[in-house]
Amino acid sequence: MRTPRVLGTALAAAALAVGLVAAPAQAEAPKPPLPVTYSFLLPAVIAGLGIDADPPGANDWSCQPSAAHPNPVVLVHGLTGSKATNWQTYAPLLANEGYCVYALTYGQVKNIVSPPYDQVFGGFGPIEESAAQLSTFVDRVLASTGAAKVDIVGHSEGTLMPNYYAKFLDGAPKIDKYVSIAPLWHGTDPAGLATLSLIGTPFGVTPVINAALQPFFASGPQLLAGSPFIEKMRSGGGPAVPGITYTNIVTRLDELVIPYTSGIEPGMTNHVVQDYCGLDLSEHFQIVADPVAAALVLNALDPAHPRPVPCQLVLPFVGNIL
């Protein structure tokens, strides 16, 4: 299979110009993940790559999996993200490692922003509907590649939504490895919102608020700890679906998954970024452009060929600027 050495063209040029990305390695050397500051991605993608652009290395529908990497990898973005903004590190990294890589944007809600800008912001729709979108996309990937199963790499909401597909939409037989970056298997309680929601339920306040949010932000209440959606996902002995190998990668500095231990689940392999590198200050967003997390993802996808996990200073939202 062709192994492209890909780098986000407009994004890489712009990032290099402002000193946010290290210069590309020589062609013969393994290409590291791009330490792109996550906060830079949205304006760079809109200005340089196109609103609904595929991330570099992804969605090559002529790609045929190799014997070394027989499973295509499907990248599933987080809330407010898209295939373009979320995966400027992982799409080229995995493509350069010889994987067939695919990414979709799901859960767009036109009530928030007008087309075509609705393609920039995903994950707002009901998670059940987003999981149905993923089901269609996975079937397309399998038909195109001839593979029997895919591997999932998700971030934030994209760690939870695919499991609805696995558990309730007959997706389990089509998934081999499931790697979650900043997952929330127990839901989240940012700013005490989940607690307030639970308090408001007996008084009829919470259903009214959720109904008001439904056309614009249906997934938000679903992600809160203790929500009916989280309870359904945890039913039957927990979220893990038999036959799928789960790996979780969390950061203690997560400002949206609160507590961060919501992403740690018994029966799954759990990694905390700061256990590998105390200098790594990645939070919820920067973790998708983080070298520690990237190494752990590669090791989870290919455990037969583990690689060392690096340790270097990574700043929240800014990344590695050295």
Side-chain angles (χ1 to χ4, degrees):
M1 186 193 76
R2 178 176 60 87
T3 304
R5 291 286 163 183
V6 290
L7 189 68
T9 51
L11 174 61
L16 282 166
V18 296
L20 294 174
V21 180
Q26 296 298 315
E28 64 272 9
K31 190 175 294 296
L34 303 178
V36 179
T37 169
Y38 190 86
S39 59
F40 180 72
L41 288 179
L42 181 59
V45 166
I46 293 175
L49 294 180
I51 289 168
D52 194 32
D54 292 326
N59 295 345
D60 175 2
W61 296 98
S62 67
C63 186
Q64 293 299 304
S66 66
H69 301 306
N71 295 338
V73 178
V74 175
L75 303 176
V76 188
H77 64 77
L79 178 62
T80 76
S82 72
K83 63 181 178 179
T85 58
N86 223 126
W87 301 119
Q88 292 295 318
T89 289
Y90 279 93
L93 170 67
L94 293 170
N96 287 337
E97 291 286 331
Y99 291 91
C100 292
V101 185
Y102 300 88
L104 78 162
T105 301
Y106 67 88
Q108 305 98 314
V109 177
K110 290 180 171 56
N111 294 329
I112 299 177
V113 290
S114 300
Y117 294 96
D118 59 318
Q119 299 300 314
V120 179
F121 304 102
F124 287 95
I127 295 177
E128 298 89 341
E129 294 180 8
S130 295
Q133 290 179 275
L134 176 65
S135 176
T136 299
F137 189 79
V138 168
D139 285 347
R140 182 186 177 192
V141 169
L142 294 178
S144 176
T145 59
K149 295 188 177 186
V150 302
D151 292 335
I152 297 287
V153 175
H155 172 234
S156 189
E157 183 186 354
T159 70
L160 190 63
M161 179 273 279
N163 211 52
Y164 187 93
Y165 161 61
K167 194 167 185 175
F168 299 109
L169 299 182
D170 299 320
K174 302 174 185 179
I175 300 174
D176 184 11
K177 302 178 186 68
Y178 192 128
V179 186
S180 298
I181 306 170
L184 58 165
W185 295 114
H186 299 263
T188 184
D189 191 14
L193 290 176
T195 302
L196 290 173
S197 179
L198 290 175
I199 293 173
T201 298
F203 301 99
V205 176
T206 299
V208 173
I209 294 174
N210 290 351
L213 288 173
Q214 187 71 20
F216 308 98
F217 191 18
S219 63
Q222 293 181 298
L223 298 173
L224 295 178
S227 71
F229 181 83
I230 293 295
E231 293 302 311
K232 181 177 181 178
M233 292 298 298
R234 298 198 60 81
S235 64
V241 178
I244 299 176
T245 301
Y246 292 87
T247 300
N248 302 315
I249 302 167
V250 307
T251 171
R252 290 193 178 97
L253 303 179
D254 201 312
E255 73 276 26
L256 293 184
V257 178
I258 300 174
Y260 78 92
T261 51
S262 174
I264 295 175
E265 181 68 24
M268 302 180 182
T269 299
N270 301 292
H271 300 285
V272 181
V273 164
Q274 287 76 26
D275 286 348
Y276 292 87
C277 183
L279 296 173
D280 193 320
L281 306 181
S282 294
E283 35 60 61
H284 187 81
F285 296 102
Q286 187 58 37
I287 195 172
V288 292
D290 175 57
V292 169
L296 294 171
V297 168
L298 292 175
N299 289 345
L301 292 175
D302 189 7
H305 301 93
R307 63 199 65 210
V309 178
C311 183
Q312 60 199 74
L313 178 64
V314 178
L315 299 178
F317 298 102
V318 177
N320 171 26
I321 59 175
L322 299 180

